[in-house]
Every structure is written in C-alpha cells, then in structure tokens.
Amino acid sequence: MANVVVVGAQWGDEGKGKIVDWLSERADIVVRFQGGHNAGHTLVIDGVTYKLSLMPSGVVRPGKLGVIGNGVVVDPWALIDEIGKLKAQGIDVTRDRLRIAENATLILPLHRELDQLREAAAGSGKIGTTGRGIGPAYEDKVGRRAIRLQDLKNLGTLEQKVDRILVHHNALRRGLGQPEIAKDDVIRQLVEIAPKVLPFMDVTWDLLDRERRAGKRILFEGAQGALLDVDHGTYPFVTSSNTVAAQAATGSGMGPGQVGYILGIAKAYTTRVGSGPFPTELNDDIGELIGQKGHEFGVVTGRKRRCGWFDAVLVRQVCKVSGIDGIALTKLDVLDGFDEVKVCVAYMLDGERIDRLPAGHNAQARVEPIYETFKGWKQSTRGARKWADLPAEAVKYVRHVEELIERPVTLLSTSPERNDTILMRDPFED
C-alpha cells in the first residue's frame, strides 16, 4: 500500500482540501510539507464548514494525526488562533492530533510588517502576496538567520538569535523609512507564545519514519499549486517555496523513495488569485459566470479569483515536472449548462506554435491560447457519484482531458461535499 502526495496542478485553489479530507479517511497521518497560513482549505463535513489555513486537513477527523513538517513556515500566533476557532467548532486540537517539526521556521510579526511594507512600496509592480510574512520568513530561513520552533525551548540563547535577525530587518526598515524594532519587544513576544506552541513540537522526521515502518498510511498535503513553485512556476509571480511534489520529501524529512503515489489536483477550468500571466483568462461574461457558479473567492484573503478555460498545456507540464501519476479533476459541475466548453491545447508565441509555457515572464505574458471546442452539456453533474450519472458530453470532455495531459483522471469531484466523488482508482492501493 502506497503513501500518497497531493499537489495542486494549477495556481492553487483546485479543491485540495476536499480531496485530502476524502483521502484522509484512508490515511493514518496527514502531513503539511510547505507554505504557511497563506494557504486556504475549505472542508464541508456533515454540513459543517471548516476553514483551515495552517493545519493539515486531517486534523478535523478523529483518530488522525496531523503533522506540520519542517518545510512549512509557522506563524505561532496564527496557529493558536486557528486552534481556538476549531475548538469553538468542537475540534479539540491536542498533541494527539497535531505535531510540529522542531526545525520548522517561525513567522514573526516583523515578517508580516515587512511583507506589507514591500507590497505597498511596489506600486504597480506588486507580486500579489497575502501579506502574511511568508516570503520574508523563507528569506530568513535561506539567509540562516531564522528563529525556529526549537529555539523557543532555549530562551537563554534567544537574545543572540534575535540580534542576528534584527541586524538584517532593521537595515531594511531604515531603507523603507520605518522605525527600528526593539530587541526586547521581539523577545517578549516569543517568550509569551512559547508555552502555547512547544507542546506540539516533535522530531517529526523520526516520527514519520517509525510510523511508515509500522505500516501506517501517510498522506502528504501540498499548499498552493505547482504553477506557484519558486523554481517551476510563473516567476516572479510565485510563492516563496517549492510547491512541486518533490518538496514532500524535503519538507517532511522522509526519503524521496518513500513518499509514494503522486496525485495532482486540477479544476475542470482554471483560476488564479493575484497578479501574473494567465493565458486562458476570460475577461468577459463567461469568465464572470464561471466565477459566480464556482464561488471563486479566496478562503484566506477573500480576493476574487480570475477565471478561464482549462489549460491542458500547463497541467501537462506540471504533471511532468511533479511526476504526477494521476489527476483528481474537481468542480466539473461548474461547467454544467454551457453551450460549448473550450480547452487550451497549445500556444502561439510570436507566430510560432508551442506546447509548453516558456520560463521568461515577458514571453509568458505574450502567449496566446489555441483552443479546442467541445459541445457542452445541459444535464446537471452536481452530486454524481458514478460514471453512469454523467451526461455523455461530460464523459467525453473528461476523457479528452486525460489524453491532452497524458495522465489518467483517477478521481472526479462533482460538488464540495466529500462523498460526491467518483473514484476510478484508489491512490493508496496503487
């Protein structure tokens, strides 16, 4: 029986939360391996809606262990706030439900401030960050000046570490015309939050290795989407971490050969939040209708998502870069009722037909989609749980998507409800 990695195959917001929750019933452990609380997952369970940002999706299910891996940047204040919200909904998050890697980097208030100051100063050149300090925290991690969770248990050495991080941040703040941050304020904040988060700390790479050897099923949950990967995405309009499947190994401490089946999640159309290239974007009534039917607003930010037709070029490219074995296609029901449905099968760039997204930002902005048009379907697919429930045109659409992306559709989601899912292949049994 395989472990399973779930990654977004577009720009995020593909419906990973529902799919991870659906799979978590078969898993014993759910691991977050990158990103931070800029990621949003909406789960609908027995009519109750849970909105998670930092927590692994499995944390709302009894008997499942959620692990926040070393590849995640953790805002301890946001974590405690999310734990409190879940408790208000009847979910008591204890150490039995949640562990956090001791070597996870912390997001501090100074990271949030810097993120927002930079975006405000960028003007029209904004990247479109959520302003939650994710990027600055990753910068400090790579710059070897970060405060990590394990540092909170050694308060005697904290002063030296805070000195090191403030040398960098206060120089930046002076350049932005902002007052410097006092060391005592940072230390006070960390001392206050330490006893609230340290009970969840663990040597998670060792924990995962023991559980794997004991035969436990592990589900690795990615945040954002592969097109926001800092190396392989639409740079510079990307997040600050690696979001491709290989990060499941690095961001959890488990070897690459042990992570198992790789399941990509893709919507039956395409959306994007924030700035950056989007070849199939529809700035018309159809794009507006897709957004309305799909309730396309960010879970974390509330920002309206840009909408467009399915881009098979991008998803095929992601499948190759991430080593995706199969796709979970979500929100098929949003396409119900259209007279015709389109899929991007290639691009034109400066008069040449190409079958990939170029790496250069300027070239990405110039590509023009080449579409194939399919007959739409008037019957509802919402709530379908077997192939026989789908109209013939919808089946043709899904089968042609498989051909274009060169991967099988192993799961098909037809509503936000977790059980409205058609399973062609169980990833855990692959």
Side-chain angles (χ1 to χ4, degrees):
M1 290 182 285
N3 298 321
V4 177
V5 179
V6 174
V7 293
Q10 294 160 317
W11 279 291
D13 310 309
E14 301 97 346
K16 293 184 295 297
K18 171 196 165 168
I19 300 300
V20 168
D21 178 63
W22 192 86
L23 289 169
S24 69
E25 193 168 57
R26 296 161 172 77
D28 302 296
I29 302 168
V30 182
V31 183
R32 273 284 307 273
F33 57 83
Q34 51 76 219
H37 64 305
N38 55 339
H41 294 320
T42 299
L43 309 179
V44 182
I45 303 172
D46 297 329
V48 179
T49 299
Y50 301 94
K51 294 189 176 183
L52 307 179
S53 296
L54 186 56
M55 295 284 196
S57 295
V59 79
V60 299
R61 296 205 160 271
K64 312 295 180 183
L65 177 63
V67 173
I68 296 176
N70 56 276
V72 179
V73 284
V74 179
D75 183 324
W77 294 272
L79 174 72
I80 296 305
D81 181 62
E82 194 167 327
I83 289 173
K85 290 178 180 177
L86 287 174
K87 188 170 185 178
Q89 291 185 281
I91 306 294
D92 190 17
V93 180
T94 65
R95 185 175 169 84
D96 290 336
R97 285 184 185 259
L98 179 68
R99 305 289 175 87
I100 307 172
E102 62 177 356
N103 51 339
T105 292
L106 299 182
I107 299 175
L108 310 183
L110 57 84
H111 292 126
R112 294 195 301 269
E113 292 178 26
L114 178 60
D115 206 355
Q116 294 162 13
L117 286 169
R118 280 176 170 169
E119 279 289 270
S124 61
K126 290 181 179 179
I127 297 296
T129 77
T130 59
R132 283 162 168 75
I134 310 297
Y138 274 117
E139 289 176 38
D140 283 345
K141 175 181 179 177
V142 175
R144 295 167 292 183
R145 56 182 170 264
I147 305 295
R148 304 200 290 181
L149 181 58
Q150 63 186 2
D151 295 331
L152 300 186
K153 68 178 183 180
N154 299 311
L155 298 179
T157 64
L158 199 55
E159 184 172 344
Q160 179 184 355
K161 293 169 183 174
V162 171
D163 279 335
R164 185 168 64 242
I165 197 171
L166 287 184
V167 166
H168 176 76
H169 279 267
N170 280 335
L172 291 174
R173 292 177 69 89
R174 288 193 298 271
L176 291 166
Q178 299 296 316
E180 294 189 7
I181 297 171
K183 176 174 65 177
D184 290 347
D185 289 341
V186 177
I187 292 175
R188 175 182 50 78
Q189 293 166 342
L190 293 173
V191 169
E192 288 176 356
I193 200 67
K196 299 178 182 179
V197 294
L198 283 176
F200 299 104
M201 187 174 73
D202 205 343
V203 184
T204 53
W205 65 265
D206 189 45
L207 167 69
L208 293 174
D209 183 66
R210 292 197 312 270
E211 298 291 10
R212 178 188 65 82
R213 291 174 181 274
K216 299 293 181 65
R217 289 173 162 180
I218 303 172
L219 181 61
F220 298 88
E221 174 186 14
Q224 290 95 32
L227 291 171
L228 293 175
D229 185 275
V230 70
D231 287 305
H232 299 286
T234 48
Y235 190 91
F237 299 97
V238 293
T239 192
S240 298
S241 62
N242 288 110
T243 58
V244 294
Q247 180 64 18
T250 306
S252 67
M254 181 169 280
Q258 308 299 334
V259 295
Y261 187 94
I262 300 172
L263 179 68
I265 316 296
K267 282 176 181 168
Y269 50 98
T270 311
T271 63
R272 177 165 199 169
V273 171
S275 306
F278 185 169
T280 65
E281 183 174 12
L282 296 170
N283 295 304
D284 57 15
D285 291 343
I286 293 178
E288 187 71 24
L289 181 58
I290 290 175
Q292 292 174 1
K293 293 179 68 176
H295 305 290
E296 295 297 350
F297 295 91
V299 174
V300 173
T301 63
R303 289 185 293 181
K304 185 178 180 181
R305 297 178 186 137
R306 301 153 64 192
C307 298
W309 294 121
F310 186 84
D311 191 330
V313 179
L314 288 181
V315 176
R316 182 174 62 244
Q317 187 165 322
V318 166
C319 285
K320 293 178 179 180
V321 170
S322 263
I324 287 172
D325 296 302
I327 286 286
L329 195 66
T330 66
K331 290 198 167 185
L332 181 67
D333 55 301
V334 174
L335 298 181
D336 293 352
F338 285 96
D339 293 327
E340 60 181 30
V341 178
K342 295 184 179 183
V343 174
C344 175
V345 297
Y347 301 133
M348 291 298 294
L349 176 61
D350 302 333
E352 179 186 359
R353 180 180 172 123
I354 61 173
D355 61 359
R356 60 177 177 82
L357 187 70
H361 165 54
N362 291 332
Q364 290 173 357
R366 295 199 309 276
V367 298
E368 298 178 2
I370 299 173
Y371 288 114
E372 283 188 13
T373 302
F374 300 83
K375 181 181 178 182
W377 53 91
K378 298 300 182 181
Q379 307 98 306
S380 174
T381 64
R382 187 175 180 85
R385 298 185 181 181
K386 55 183 183 293
W387 274 108
D389 295 336
L390 298 175
E393 292 83 1
V395 173
K396 290 178 183 176
Y397 178 77
V398 174
R399 290 307 188 198
H400 197 60
V401 163
E402 289 181 313
E403 295 175 7
L404 291 169
I405 66 174
E406 301 173 6
R407 295 296 188 277
V409 172
T410 58
L411 289 159
L412 189 63
S413 172
T414 57
S415 94
E417 291 291 337
R418 69 184 301 274
N419 291 324
D420 291 342
T421 305
I422 301 172
L423 174 67
M424 277 72 79
R425 175 186 292 174
D426 189 337
F428 278 117
E429 300 295 339
D430 198 87

